[in-house]
Amino acid sequence: MKLTRERQARPSPPPPLEANDQVVTVAGTAGWAVALVVLLIVRDSLPAGERWWIWTCACGVVMGLFALWYVPRLKRARARAAARRAAAAAAESEQGEQGEPGRRVQSAPRDSGSNTVSSTDTPGRSTRS
């Protein structure tokens, strides 16, 4: 009797599902709005320690409205960035075909928003205290 089992090959995972962001956001916002209306109607019968739910629902509605404004802009910006990357890759491959095989275009450094200075930013100086 073998105590170890032979590993079976795992099936490939299914592709991610795409959802309509607008519909999901509207449904969530509508749910928070309905809960807000219900809580405002029964406000007087709520114990004082449970009235924070009203503000939770109000925040849910506000965040949902913000998402309805922001998500389409985010998706358009990502699509534009992907198109720029594809155009840059096409231009780079075209340059390589024109007899400049070893030449690569160096991209600009990314700003991560961090205030930490890395050792590559200040050569010869240590970042340790």
Side-chain angles (χ1 to χ4, degrees):
M1 176 180 200
K2 272 188 169 177
L3 294 177
T4 59
R5 290 192 315 193
E6 292 183 26
R7 287 194 152 198
Q8 296 178 355
R10 283 186 164 180
S12 62
L17 297 174
E18 288 293 322
N20 185 342
D21 297 328
Q22 294 286 66
V23 172
V24 172
T25 306
V26 166
T29 305
W32 283 115
V34 167
L36 178 62
V37 168
V38 169
L39 287 174
L40 287 174
I41 291 171
V42 298
R43 171 183 46 209
D44 294 332
S45 64
L46 285 175
E50 298 294 322
R51 291 193 181 152
W52 59 272
W53 280 106
I54 294 172
W55 291 107
T56 302
C57 294
C59 288
V61 171
V62 170
M63 288 173 57
L65 293 174
F66 174 75
L68 284 172
W69 171 81
Y70 180 73
V71 170
R73 284 159 183 73
L74 176 68
K75 290 184 95 169
R76 283 194 298 268
R78 286 182 177 174
R80 282 192 304 266
R84 281 194 304 266
R85 283 192 304 272
E92 186 176 311
S93 68
E94 187 177 298
Q95 266 185 347
E97 292 173 2
Q98 293 178 357
E100 299 174 353
R103 185 171 180 207
R104 292 197 56 168
V105 177
Q106 184 176 0
S107 63
R110 291 186 176 177
D111 181 18
S112 66
S114 173
N115 291 331
T116 305
V117 178
S118 73
S119 60
T120 59
D121 292 339
T122 55
R125 295 183 59 189
S126 174
T127 58
R128 292 186 183 176
S129 300

